[in-house]
Amino acid sequence: MADFGLHNYQQEVVERALKGENIIIWLPTGGGKTRAAVYVAKKHLETTPNAKVIVLVNKVHLVDQHYNKEFEPHLGCTFIIKKVSGENKEKDFFGLVVKQSQVVICTAQILYNALINKEEARHVELSDITLLIIDECHHTQKEEAYNKVMRLYVEKKLKGEKPLPQILGLTASPGTGGAKTLDKAVEHVLEICANLDSVIVSAKEYASELKEVVPKPRKSFKIVKERLKDPFRDHLISMMNIIHSRMNLPPDFRLKECGTQEYEADVVNLEHQGVQEKNRLLAQCALHLREYNDALLINDTLRMIDAYRSLEEYYSKKKTNPIDGTDTFLLELFEENQVELKNLAMDSRFDNPKMDELQSTLLQQFGSGVPSRAIIFSKTRKSAHCLKDWVLKNRALQEVGIKADIFIGAGNGNTYMTQNGQAETIRNFRMGSLNLLISTSVGEEGFDIPECNLVVRYGLLTNEIAQQQASGRARAKDSQYAVVAQAGGREDRRERMNEYLEELTGQAIDRVQTMTPQDFCTKITQLQEMVVTCTKIEQRRQAEKRSRNTASSIQLLCRNCFAPVASGSDIKLVENMYVNVNPDFKKHYTFGEQLTLERSFEDWEPGCTISCKICSKKWGNEIKYKKCAILPNLAIKNFVLESPGQERLPVKKWKDVPFTVEEFNFQQYCQENFTDLLD
């Protein structure tokens, strides 16, 4: 293995895979899991007749990253390697790509679609695959695409169907699944092993070498005292109390403390209750309170002016179309207090001490004279934008040469980045034209980000997996992993809890590794049988739920103004989108900006965003299907369903609607709507 550049600890963890066993490789971030997997793939291709290797990733950008940096350089001269994602057209004949290739790198969703699609050009059987490599395999849980693929595998295994591919999972952080005791953490690790039908292996004999190659960064807690006075926060809470009194809440109902995640959960439930009870006052007040609570959370982490601007932006959109007294009351409340809020937000006497500590931490690193790279991990896209604005306007940070940009999730809209934008930002960071990334959790896992001298966790409440992934970004010599938090605050407590959970994960894996092979196999089979049974029960329950109502008996109401706008029978499924095929639906909405997507699609193209004509609530966007059919693509979270008994049901996802949505029939649609043209 020396010619392949593997360390001894990498050779140790692949031994069982080279013997054909199903394994999960557990190595820290930066430990070379992918390189070890490439080596296993190489040996598998050289020794297995008709070998077919599929590499699964959970994010689109990782398809290119694994192809360009690992698999193509090491295997491309000898074997046919293809990469497939939603970005290229090969997904539309994925089955043929698999037949013609020896290694295919793709997203898990593409493989799952191919496994359940019976169309020959797109279909793949698990028996076609001889080695299945699953990157970041701790995501093989619940309804993740990884788990959908592996559930098909487990069902075949339990039925005794063969052949099945060898499994190779890769992870830096299996986590405890929320467990805080060793027994429960062991159960979680066993569930991941069962989902992947694999044992978990780690470096034992060469653990000391692993520590030398992947040293842990120096960890420091940057603890600040609570603000003695915070009049901006106090004023926001007084405004929230005015809204509370307007809502006529039951006397025995007690909202949690303002400015907490628990309070947010309360007002989300109140909005649902308002929708169900046809109580627009309750629903709208709850929505506005969530915005105020967001402002409190921003104020706790960022600048007061950032919190003020978040409310200002929200209410600037509300000025255009108030539809009743509730809207007028909420808008006037903000406008009456707007000047005072802005004045308080500009008062430097009450600045956030966390920002001062963050500045000090950055100056200490970048002012040291040592060429530096750093990442700040923050909670939301909004906070990332705010931090970038702060850095670029901060004279002291600019004087030490900090060149910052954001790194956030890919998507549509101003608050997202395009995938090309992500790639360009990483390239600039690698080349040195940027030396500070301000990232959401998207930067914690998977991205090939250059070694950093400093990683800062700022205003985060996440689990031990995210903590381990973020810590693994500080790979440079003598690097620092810093946590900026208030003394005894939520972030401080969570970070210290995560340290305990990280140790607990290691203890749980040790316990699993010491099980006898017979006990391990027995437990894994029991868990697999239970999961298959539970899945069938849930599928039956969902089918029964969808059969309770006919589509025509369900009405769709605007989530904001409760205007009835469509019937369930108007909704059809096309290309994984839920569209309204009733041409009369157009009279209910107005058009917004043209939606632009980074990639193109074979059968459809995006159109304009659409909003409720009465209240301006955004509903989704139009699409043009097969160059002629204009179809509104709707997000169900923007509507409420009304059943025949007048019961109202808010739904987050289309899969949870209580009726069956039929596939779109393009030919029938054309016959019904373009008869004059067809004649």
Side-chain angles (χ1 to χ4, degrees):
M1 298 185 201
D3 60 323
F4 209 73
L6 294 189
H7 295 285
N8 290 321
Y9 70 82
Q10 290 173 300
Q11 297 177 34
E12 178 185 355
V13 296
V14 301
E15 282 179 2
R16 295 178 68 172
L18 296 177
K19 297 174 183 176
E21 294 184 46
N22 288 0
I23 72 163
I24 299 167
I25 293 177
W26 176 45
L27 287 175
T29 301
K33 296 179 294 296
T34 308
R35 179 65 55 84
V38 174
Y39 182 80
V40 172
K42 179 176 183 290
K43 291 301 180 185
H44 180 86
L45 289 161
E46 291 171 347
T47 59
T48 306
N50 302 314
K52 191 81 63 179
V53 179
I54 303 288
V55 183
L56 295 188
V57 297
N58 64 326
K59 294 176 183 174
V60 172
H61 74 271
L62 292 175
V63 173
D64 282 334
Q65 184 172 299
H66 283 347
Y67 178 87
N68 294 330
K69 291 191 67 68
E70 293 290 351
F71 284 88
E72 174 61 23
H74 290 97
L75 304 180
C77 292
T78 312
F79 305 103
I80 301 171
I81 306 175
K82 293 287 185 181
K83 55 178 181 175
V84 184
S85 71
E87 299 294 295
N88 48 40
K89 294 183 178 180
E90 280 88 345
K91 71 180 187 302
D92 297 321
F93 45 92
F94 185 71
L96 298 178
V97 172
V98 171
K99 284 182 181 178
Q100 296 165 2
S101 312
Q102 291 162 295
V103 180
V104 177
I105 305 168
C106 65
T107 54
Q109 189 64 49
I110 284 177
L111 177 60
Y112 179 70
N113 292 345
L115 291 170
I116 62 174
N117 193 319
K118 300 307 177 186
E119 190 179 331
E120 185 177 354
R122 302 188 182 206
H123 182 64
V124 172
E125 287 283 351
L126 276 172
S127 57
D128 297 335
I129 307 165
T130 57
L131 174 63
L132 185 61
I133 299 174
I134 303 180
D135 188 40
E136 307 291 2
C137 69
H138 51 275
H139 290 294
T140 313
Q141 300 182 63
K142 299 179 182 177
E143 291 307 306
E144 297 268 5
Y146 282 167
N147 214 23
K148 290 180 179 179
V149 171
M150 286 307 301
R151 225 178 265 153
L152 297 175
Y153 173 104
V154 168
E155 287 176 6
K156 288 181 178 294
K157 176 209 167 182
L158 294 177
K159 291 176 184 176
E161 295 183 19
K162 293 182 179 180
L164 288 171
Q166 180 186 352
I167 305 297
L168 175 60
L170 311 174
T171 184
S173 44
T176 67
K180 294 181 175 62
T181 65
L182 181 56
D183 286 345
K184 291 292 185 181
V186 168
E187 193 73 19
H188 171 72
V189 174
L190 284 169
E191 285 173 2
I192 290 179
C193 290
N195 292 344
L196 288 152
D197 196 42
S198 300
V199 299
I200 187 163
V201 300
S202 55
K204 299 290 187 184
E205 184 179 352
Y206 293 100
S208 58
E209 181 195 49
L210 174 59
K211 287 181 180 179
E212 290 178 15
V213 174
V214 191
K216 281 195 170 186
R218 182 178 81 261
K219 186 167 186 176
S220 60
F221 281 86
K222 309 288 186 176
I223 303 300
V224 302
K225 293 181 179 179
E226 186 177 0
R227 275 184 273 199
L228 293 177
K229 290 185 178 180
D230 192 349
F232 178 79
R233 183 180 194 276
D234 295 340
H235 197 84
L236 285 178
I237 292 176
S238 71
M239 295 171 68
M240 294 168 79
N241 285 330
I242 292 172
I243 299 174
H244 293 160
S245 62
R246 182 83 171 206
M247 294 167 74
N248 298 320
L249 294 171
D252 59 341
F253 186 85
R254 292 288 181 270
L255 285 161
K256 304 295 190 305
E257 180 187 356
C258 294
T260 64
Q261 299 293 341
E262 292 77 15
Y263 179 91
E264 180 177 317
D266 277 352
V267 293
V268 166
N269 290 333
L270 284 174
E271 192 269 340
H272 283 195
Q273 182 182 332
V275 168
Q276 291 168 333
E277 296 175 355
K278 308 179 185 179
N279 184 341
R280 190 168 186 275
L281 169 67
L282 183 62
Q284 287 302 303
C285 285
L287 285 174
H288 286 246
L289 285 170
R290 186 172 183 179
E291 294 297 324
Y292 279 97
N293 197 62
D294 280 348
L296 287 174
L297 291 169
I298 293 169
N299 177 62
D300 181 57
T301 307
L302 303 164
R303 298 169 296 182
M304 294 180 289
I305 195 65
D306 296 321
Y308 168 77
R309 285 172 183 161
S310 74
L311 283 174
E312 184 182 49
E313 181 182 355
Y314 178 72
Y315 280 99
S316 68
K317 297 173 183 175
K318 292 291 180 183
K319 289 180 180 179
T320 54
N321 212 4
I323 63 173
D324 63 15
T326 297
D327 294 332
T328 303
F329 157 70
L330 291 165
L331 183 58
E332 287 181 351
L333 177 65
F334 176 75
E335 289 178 338
E336 288 166 3
N337 289 272
Q338 187 171 4
V339 173
E340 186 170 358
L341 279 175
K342 187 172 184 179
N343 289 337
L344 289 171
M346 301 288 285
D347 193 333
S348 60
R349 292 176 298 167
F350 308 110
D351 282 346
N352 191 341
K354 292 179 185 175
M355 299 292 286
D356 293 336
E357 188 59 47
L358 179 59
Q359 175 177 311
S360 175
T361 301
L362 293 172
L363 289 175
Q364 185 180 3
Q365 180 64 52
F366 285 92
S368 64
V370 177
S372 298
R373 284 193 182 95
I375 303 179
I376 300 173
F377 284 108
S378 192
K379 183 181 180 183
T380 64
R381 297 189 298 274
K382 186 182 290 185
S383 63
H385 282 282
C386 291
L387 284 169
K388 176 187 174 181
D389 181 68
W390 169 70
V391 170
L392 296 181
K393 292 178 180 178
N394 187 301
R395 183 178 298 175
L397 297 180
Q398 292 305 299
E399 285 177 353
V400 296
I402 292 181
K403 295 164 287 189
D405 206 346
I406 59 170
F407 185 73
I408 57 179
N412 307 314
N414 295 331
T415 60
Y416 291 89
M417 293 183 80
T418 65
Q419 286 164 4
N420 286 338
Q422 287 180 331
E424 183 181 0
T425 298
I426 294 296
R427 185 163 53 249
N428 291 337
F429 192 54
R430 184 176 291 111
M431 299 297 291
S433 55
L434 293 174
N435 54 19
L436 175 64
L437 290 186
I438 303 165
S439 177
T440 56
S441 60
V442 70
E444 291 170 347
E445 184 177 287
F447 274 95
D448 183 28
I449 294 175
E451 294 178 349
C452 295
N453 310 80
L454 173 67
V455 168
V456 183
R457 296 256 292 171
Y458 189 75
L460 285 173
L461 288 169
T462 53
N463 60 23
E464 72 282 5
I465 293 177
Q467 176 180 311
Q468 288 172 263
Q469 297 279 7
S471 175
R473 297 299 172 194
R475 302 181 200 171
K477 187 178 180 182
D478 300 323
S479 58
Q480 179 187 183
Y481 171 80
V483 179
V484 177
Q486 181 180 300
R490 292 167 298 157
E491 296 95 339
D492 184 12
R493 295 196 304 273
R494 180 65 64 86
E495 194 73 20
R496 296 181 195 277
M497 170 60 76
N498 286 342
E499 288 180 343
Y500 163 73
L501 295 178
E502 185 177 347
E503 291 180 9
L504 193 63
T505 300
Q507 293 170 12
I509 292 171
D510 285 342
R511 176 82 68 86
V512 169
Q513 290 174 335
T514 57
M515 293 175 70
T516 66
Q518 183 177 356
D519 287 346
F520 179 82
C521 288
T522 300
K523 181 64 176 176
I524 292 305
T525 302
Q526 289 173 349
L527 289 170
Q528 290 173 338
E529 289 173 343
M530 182 177 68
V531 166
V532 169
T533 301
C534 290
T535 300
K536 289 179 179 177
I537 292 171
E538 176 60 20
Q539 289 171 344
R540 190 179 304 140
R541 189 187 70 80
Q542 288 287 351
E544 290 172 356
K545 180 180 177 182
R546 286 190 291 270
S547 65
R548 283 180 205 156
N549 302 284
T550 60
S552 59
S553 70
I554 298 294
Q555 285 290 308
L556 273 71
L557 282 58
C558 174
R559 180 72 172 255
N560 186 51
C561 66
F562 299 155
V565 294
S567 164
S569 58
D570 298 335
I571 309 301
K572 305 299 178 188
L573 180 62
V574 55
E575 300 278 345
N576 292 319
M577 294 177 289
Y578 290 82
V579 298
N580 191 318
V581 299
N582 187 340
D584 292 337
F585 183 61
K586 286 187 177 181
K587 67 184 181 184
H588 294 294
Y589 63 79
T590 57
F591 297 100
E593 69 274 16
Q594 170 67 37
L595 185 66
T596 56
L597 301 179
E598 192 173 5
R599 57 193 175 101
S600 59
F601 300 85
E602 183 178 3
D603 290 329
W604 66 275
E605 57 189 86
C608 294
T609 60
I610 60 172
S611 302
C612 177
K613 187 173 284 187
I614 297 173
C615 69
S616 301
K617 172 75 173 176
K618 284 191 176 180
W619 286 349
N621 64 280
E622 285 190 336
I623 66 167
K624 181 184 282 188
Y625 185 69
K626 291 190 181 293
K627 306 295 183 183
C628 62
I630 306 296
L631 303 170
N633 170 30
L634 306 179
I636 190 59
K637 67 180 181 179
N638 298 324
F639 298 86
V640 59
L641 305 178
E642 189 169 76
S643 67
Q646 300 297 299
E647 179 186 0
R648 291 189 177 185
L649 179 67
V651 176
K652 285 185 178 180
K653 298 180 180 179
W654 277 105
K655 68 180 181 65
D656 296 322
V657 298
F659 62 94
T660 300
V661 178
E662 297 177 352
E663 292 282 343
F664 177 61
N665 186 320
F666 179 64
Q667 185 175 359
Q668 179 182 340
Y669 178 85
C670 290
Q671 290 172 346
E672 292 175 352
N673 294 278
F674 303 124
T675 306
D676 53 335
L677 297 177
L678 294 174
D679 293 343

